[in-house]
């Protein structure tokens, strides 16, 4: 391995973002002897609670970013809506992995879909929409059953509307008139995801595809491995790795896909950071997705991704967290509590992973 890009244990990793993904990254980094510094505006910064230092500032605060750059050896993100120009500013001072160019693609659904198509990976048919007139034309081409999604700042189903039966002007108004895409509705059999890491030397490794179950457009449960036919699992990994290579990613990417009844796969969304559907790896794999991110951004070889157990991960959302005393008593359950100051409906408060022997 070329040592030029290697950032050795003992160095400091800078994380932009202060939520649970940053928290679990910092915990994995500490295990390998790294220190972590957080830059995030959050009042209740659960990543900073387990890190060496924290600059509480907005991502646009140049003086704070400069201080952060001076204090760290590499920068990564746990929150994909960090402004790309903040990452650009940092990149002039310290390696930033992933690069801002990747955020520019993944922060814009239209750019993302066009990129995915360009690397030869299938996506749901889509059309750009800015006006009700655009939407009328797009409906004629894609059918009336699609989903209108804002190009920017959508997650967990936010900024989206199922247009079936709605007038086009009402649909455009329902997403605040923001630039959008219309996506054909995909009558998928299953939703799955693959998490792939790539380091600056070009080594690539993927965790096996997992089956994701959403409720109210929020991930509720992940089953790993996902139990897909080997040719489907191989194809899903191939698609995710084409995307990671096409992006020249340095870091980790989650690739969410739809599996159709006929075995076809279409990519729905990319997240260039650790992902909720990878939390199971903490307890069921030799390397967790968080350690894999640390390895990738520090130029270390990827760790083993083969599952050692079958895992079922359930999110603890809102008051689900109140089950913690019972969960502590379960012999096969691994409980993770994120330490957020207050419970709110729809808020991810923790998760629990239950293990069983592979093949059960
Ligand atoms: P997204 O924010 O794009 O990840 O969408 C959230 C959820 O909405 C997905 O996990 C799917 O369950 C559903 N969804 C999104 N796009 C489509 C589509 N084109 N067809 C069917 N369901 C979709």
């Amino acid at each position: 391995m070329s040592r030029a890009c290697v950032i050795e244990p003992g160095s400091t990793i800078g994380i932009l973002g202060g939520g649970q993904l940053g928290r679990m990254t910092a915990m994995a980094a500490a295990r390998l002897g790294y220190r972590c510094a957080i830059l995030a505006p959050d009042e209740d910064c659960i990543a900073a609670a387990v890190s060496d230092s924290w600059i509480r500032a907005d991502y646009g605060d140049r003086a704070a970013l400069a201080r952060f750059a001076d204090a760290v050896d590499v920068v990564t993100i746990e929150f994909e809506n960090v402004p790309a120009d903040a990452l650009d500013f940092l990149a002039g001072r310290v390696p930033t992995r992933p690069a801002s160019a990747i955020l520019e693609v993944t922060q814009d659904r239209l750019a993302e879909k066009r990129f995915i198509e360009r690397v030869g990976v299938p996506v749901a048919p889509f059309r750009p929409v800015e006006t009700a007139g655009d939407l009328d034309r797009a409906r004629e081409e894609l059918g009336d059953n699609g989903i209108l999604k804002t190009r920017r700042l959508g997650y967990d189903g936010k900024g989206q509307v199922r247009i079936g039966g709605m007038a086009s002007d009402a649909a455009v108004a329902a997403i605040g008139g923001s630039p959008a895409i219309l996506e054909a509705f995909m009558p998928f059999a299953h939703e799955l995801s693959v998490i792939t890491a790539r380091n600056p030397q070009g080594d690539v490794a993927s965790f096996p595809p997992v089956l994701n179950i959403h409720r109210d457009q929020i991930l509720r449960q992940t089953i790993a491995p996902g139990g897909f036919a080997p040719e489907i699992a191989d194809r899903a990994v191939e698609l995710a790795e084409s995307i990671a290579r096409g992006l020249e990613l340095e870091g980790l990417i989650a690739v969410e896909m739809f599996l159709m009844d006929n075995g076809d796969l279409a990519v729905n969304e990319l997240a260039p950071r650790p992902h909720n559907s990878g939390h199971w790896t903490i307890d069921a794999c030799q390397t967790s997705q968080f350690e894999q991110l640390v390895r990738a951004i520090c130029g270390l070889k990827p760790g083993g991704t083969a599952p050692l157990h079958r895992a079922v991960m359930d999110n603890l959302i809102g008051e689900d967290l109140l089950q913690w005393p019972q969960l502590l008593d379960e012999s096969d359950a691994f409980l993770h509590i994120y330490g957020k100051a207050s419970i709110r409906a729809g808020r991810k408060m923790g998760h629990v992973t239950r293990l069983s022997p592979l093949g059960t």
Side-chain angles (χ1 to χ4, degrees), residues 109 112-113 124-125 145-147 149 154-160 162 182-188 191 212-219 256-258 260 268-270 275:
R109 283 189 196 272
E112 182 174 278
K113 298 261 177 209
N145 194 21
I147 303 182
K149 302 181 175 182
Y155 69 99
D156 286 349
K158 296 191 173 63
Q160 301 192 10
R162 240 345 244 285
L182 179 69
E183 222 177 85
F185 184 78
M186 303 291 279
F188 55 77
E191 291 189 82
N212 294 325
I213 296 158
H214 293 84
R215 206 182 320 136
D216 302 328
Q217 290 166 307
I218 299 181
L219 181 70
E256 293 187 72
M257 307 181 198
F258 300 133
M260 311 305 289
N268 175 37
E269 209 169 33
L270 309 179
H275 192 258

Side-chain angles (χ1 to χ4, degrees), residues 34-346:
Y34 291 92
R35 295 174 179 279
C36 284
I38 307 294
L39 187 144
D42 320 32
E43 183 180 351
D44 172 25
C45 190
I46 58 171
V50 299
S51 295
D52 293 88
S53 64
W54 172 29
I55 296 178
R56 185 175 173 196
D58 287 329
Y59 303 113
D61 179 340
R62 292 292 158 103
L65 288 171
R67 271 192 291 134
F68 182 63
D70 287 344
V72 303
D73 299 294
V74 61
V75 169
T76 193
I77 56 166
E78 67 101 51
F79 166 63
E80 77 239 43
N81 286 320
V82 169
D85 63 352
L87 221 52
D88 265 339
F89 176 81
L90 290 167
R93 297 159 187 254
V94 63
T96 62
R97 299 175 181 158
S100 66
I102 293 180
L103 292 195
E104 272 159 19
V105 172
T106 59
Q107 285 176 352
D108 177 351
R109 283 189 196 272
L110 181 61
E112 182 174 278
K113 298 261 177 209
R114 286 181 170 153
F115 165 79
I116 297 169
E117 278 193 327
R118 211 162 47 241
V119 291
V121 169
V123 290
F126 65 96
R127 294 288 182 277
V129 169
E130 304 235 340
T131 63
D134 295 340
L135 182 54
D136 284 336
R137 279 184 294 280
R139 293 169 91 152
E140 276 164 30
E141 291 169 11
L142 299 185
D144 206 26
N145 194 21
I147 303 182
L148 188 64
K149 302 181 175 182
T150 56
R151 282 173 57 174
R152 293 183 173 273
L153 296 176
Y155 69 99
D156 286 349
K158 296 191 173 63
Q160 301 192 10
V161 59
R162 240 345 244 285
I163 56 157
M166 265 177 124
S168 290
D169 48 1
V172 167
I175 57 157
S178 310
I181 59 170
L182 179 69
E183 222 177 85
F185 184 78
M186 303 291 279
F188 55 77
H190 297 294
E191 291 189 82
L192 60 101
S193 57
V194 175
I195 294 177
T196 297
R198 182 180 176 278
N199 66 13
Q201 298 91 331
D203 298 316
V204 169
S206 298
F207 293 98
V210 296
L211 177 65
N212 294 325
I213 296 158
H214 293 84
R215 206 182 320 136
D216 302 328
Q217 290 166 307
I218 299 181
L219 181 70
R220 291 286 157 163
Q221 187 175 69
T222 291
I223 300 173
F228 305 106
E231 60 278 13
I232 289 175
D234 290 350
R235 173 92 179 123
V237 167
E238 205 180 290
L239 297 181
E241 294 188 352
S242 303
I243 288 170
R245 290 197 175 91
L247 286 170
E248 297 184 30
L249 173 73
E250 296 174 348
L252 197 73
I253 194 160
V255 181
E256 293 187 72
M257 307 181 198
F258 300 133
L259 173 63
M260 311 305 289
D261 279 325
N262 65 2
D264 284 353
L265 289 165
V267 168
N268 175 37
E269 209 169 33
L270 309 179
R273 53 160 175 78
H275 192 258
N276 196 168
S277 68
H279 292 356
W280 67 279
T281 58
I282 302 174
D283 302 304
C285 290
Q286 181 190 2
T287 314
S288 74
Q289 63 163 345
F290 301 100
E291 179 176 332
Q292 201 73 313
L293 171 64
V294 168
R295 287 175 178 242
I297 62 175
C298 293
L300 310 182
K301 265 176 87 86
T305 55
L308 306 173
H309 310 271
R310 178 176 187 271
V312 178
M313 188 284 313
D314 285 286
N315 271 334
L316 299 173
I317 297 179
E319 296 205 334
D320 292 349
L321 180 64
L322 302 176
Q323 300 161 25
W324 67 264
Q326 298 87 286
L327 294 170
L328 281 179
D329 281 346
E330 281 187 35
S331 60
D332 61 350
F334 293 73
L335 178 62
H336 300 255
I337 298 177
Y338 304 151
K340 296 184 182 179
S342 58
I343 293 181
R344 274 204 308 270

